[in-house]
Amino acid sequence: MILDTVIGRLEDELGITSFVHARDLDQVHGSHEGSGVGAREAEPVVTASVFKLPVLVEACIRMSTGSIPGDYRISLNPDDFPVQGGTGLAVFTDSVSVSFRDLCLSMMTVSDNRATDVVMNILGRTSINARMRELGLTSTVLEGDCQYLFDTAAADLASLEPPVAYDAEGASEAWSETRTLDPDRTNRSTPAETTALLAALWNEVGIPAAACTEARRILGLQVWPHRLRRGFGDEVSVSGKTGTLPFIRNESGVVEFPEGDRYAVAVFLRTPSSLSINPRFDDAIADLAAAAVTDLRSVRKLTQ
């Protein structure tokens, strides 16, 4: 398998640990089965902002049932839901009024942390976790919102002996000792469950069709082209969600070819560097995703 070779090369070259799964969405019978390839795909991973995918699913279901109208407007003052983040409402300085639907859009397209925390406050974390259990995704768990992740990291760093000053860019190796980066105590999933959730959205299994349509629309508008998308040509459609924390670099999404075949891919990396900008790790995500999809396309040809 090409994926095994690429994983071995990249882990040796970059010192990363790779958690990967890809699923052929046209060979799926139910949300959890189907042709798949992976590495460490059943192991728990730190999702970072990929946790916004379960939030989006619950939000789209609630909009589709009318329990939360998509045009329901939320007014935010500058001091409401302050949270770190360099995009979207998280960097706004003035009051704003925005629809629930567009909060979800900002949450996913530019990974807006403030929009995420507002959406989660409306939905309720327990409802999101209950929805994941209802879909059979028992390893996909949200412990808190974006502010929770930063707060627990700061508290854990301050409790070390000697204490370590909190740095959002994660300059300190001590970040690795925080709950935020512990896959058993933070927002988490597995690569296989992440592709299963994407399969449910693209194949409309266990989720209302209208909710799936809206979630797919929003995921298709993500602006970041530097991870999954770099592994594929311009003619290939990629819908996805990134995730980044110190020592963590992720993306999950769906790759759709002009011929019509479709693949869900989830790549989660544990990296040796805490820096948020490192193109070599972004390229690794592209290479791993492309290798996994190439393997699945080979399997598809053999079975046709």
Side-chain angles (χ1 to χ4, degrees), residues 139-289:
S139 296
T140 301
V141 179
L142 274 59
E143 297 289 350
D145 61 10
C146 298
Q147 189 61 53
Y148 168 86
L149 297 179
F150 295 128
D151 285 347
T152 53
D156 290 349
L157 291 169
S159 70
L160 296 176
E161 189 59 47
V164 174
Y166 174 76
D167 180 354
E169 290 298 316
S172 170
E173 293 287 330
W175 260 88
S176 294
E177 300 181 45
T178 67
R179 282 168 286 173
T180 304
L181 297 195
D182 182 346
D184 293 321
R185 297 187 294 165
T186 192
N187 292 349
R188 58 192 177 272
S189 187
T190 69
E193 284 203 358
T194 301
T195 61
L197 183 55
L198 291 166
L201 286 175
W202 258 255
N203 288 334
E204 300 181 358
V205 177
I207 301 173
C212 292
T213 298
E214 179 65 356
R216 293 194 302 263
R217 180 186 77 87
I218 291 174
L219 285 163
L221 296 172
Q222 181 184 239
V223 302
W224 313 129
H226 58 301
R227 294 184 185 172
L228 281 184
R229 190 176 296 276
R230 287 188 66 175
F232 304 93
D234 290 343
E235 75 283 0
V236 178
S237 171
V238 180
S239 306
K241 181 70 199 77
T242 58
T244 308
L245 281 169
F247 304 103
I248 300 295
R249 200 173 226 83
N250 309 326
E251 187 164 9
S252 64
V254 170
V255 178
E256 300 178 79
F257 286 82
E259 299 86 346
D261 45 330
R262 310 166 302 152
Y263 306 90
V265 188
V267 181
F268 298 86
L269 300 184
R270 195 93 182 196
T271 73
S273 169
S274 65
L275 297 178
S276 60
I277 299 175
N278 191 315
R280 296 182 71 198
F281 298 147
D282 295 328
D283 288 345
I285 290 177
D287 291 346
L288 290 165

Side-chain angles (χ1 to χ4, degrees), residues 2-273:
I2 296 174
L3 178 61
D4 293 338
T5 300
V6 173
I7 286 175
R9 173 177 60 82
L10 291 175
E11 291 192 348
D12 286 345
E13 288 179 5
L14 303 179
I16 60 176
T17 304
S18 310
F19 304 82
V20 183
H21 191 253
R23 190 183 298 265
D24 186 335
L25 297 183
D26 300 305
Q27 302 293 326
V28 172
H29 309 286
S31 62
H32 295 272
E33 301 176 26
S35 175
V37 299
R40 305 182 182 97
E41 66 269 22
E43 294 186 25
V45 291
V46 177
T47 51
S49 282
V50 174
F51 89 81
K52 297 168 186 177
L53 178 59
V55 179
L56 177 68
V57 170
E58 177 64 11
C60 288
I61 291 174
R62 302 276 278 276
M63 284 189 284
S64 74
T65 62
S67 65
I68 302 177
D71 60 0
Y72 168 63
R73 298 200 72 79
I74 298 97
S75 296
L76 296 170
N77 295 315
D79 295 333
D80 296 335
F81 295 91
V83 64
Q84 296 172 30
T87 61
L89 276 66
V91 294
F92 283 18
T93 56
D94 297 318
S95 297
V96 63
S97 175
V98 63
S99 70
F100 182 75
R101 179 184 294 109
D102 284 343
L103 279 174
C104 295
L105 185 74
S106 193
M107 171 178 73
M108 303 304 289
T109 58
V110 297
S111 204
D112 183 339
N113 288 344
R114 190 183 186 200
T116 302
D117 288 6
V118 175
V119 170
M120 283 192 67
N121 182 66
I122 294 170
L123 296 174
R125 180 177 63 88
T126 56
S127 295
I128 301 167
N129 285 331
R131 185 73 64 183
M132 294 302 103
R133 292 193 299 271
E134 180 183 303
L135 292 170
L137 306 176
T138 57
S139 296
T140 301
V141 179
L142 274 59
E143 297 289 350
D145 61 10
C146 298
Q147 189 61 53
Y148 168 86
L149 297 179
F150 295 128
D151 285 347
T152 53
D156 290 349
L157 291 169
S159 70
L160 296 176
E161 189 59 47
V164 174
Y166 174 76
D167 180 354
E169 290 298 316
S172 170
E173 293 287 330
W175 260 88
S176 294
E177 300 181 45
T178 67
R179 282 168 286 173
T180 304
L181 297 195
D182 182 346
D184 293 321
R185 297 187 294 165
T186 192
N187 292 349
R188 58 192 177 272
S189 187
T190 69
E193 284 203 358
T194 301
T195 61
L197 183 55
L198 291 166
L201 286 175
W202 258 255
N203 288 334
E204 300 181 358
V205 177
I207 301 173
C212 292
T213 298
E214 179 65 356
R216 293 194 302 263
R217 180 186 77 87
I218 291 174
L219 285 163
L221 296 172
Q222 181 184 239
V223 302
W224 313 129
H226 58 301
R227 294 184 185 172
L228 281 184
R229 190 176 296 276
R230 287 188 66 175
F232 304 93
D234 290 343
E235 75 283 0
V236 178
S237 171
V238 180
S239 306
K241 181 70 199 77
T242 58
T244 308
L245 281 169
F247 304 103
I248 300 295
R249 200 173 226 83
N250 309 326
E251 187 164 9
S252 64
V254 170
V255 178
E256 300 178 79
F257 286 82
E259 299 86 346
D261 45 330
R262 310 166 302 152
Y263 306 90
V265 188
V267 181
F268 298 86
L269 300 184
R270 195 93 182 196
T271 73
S273 169

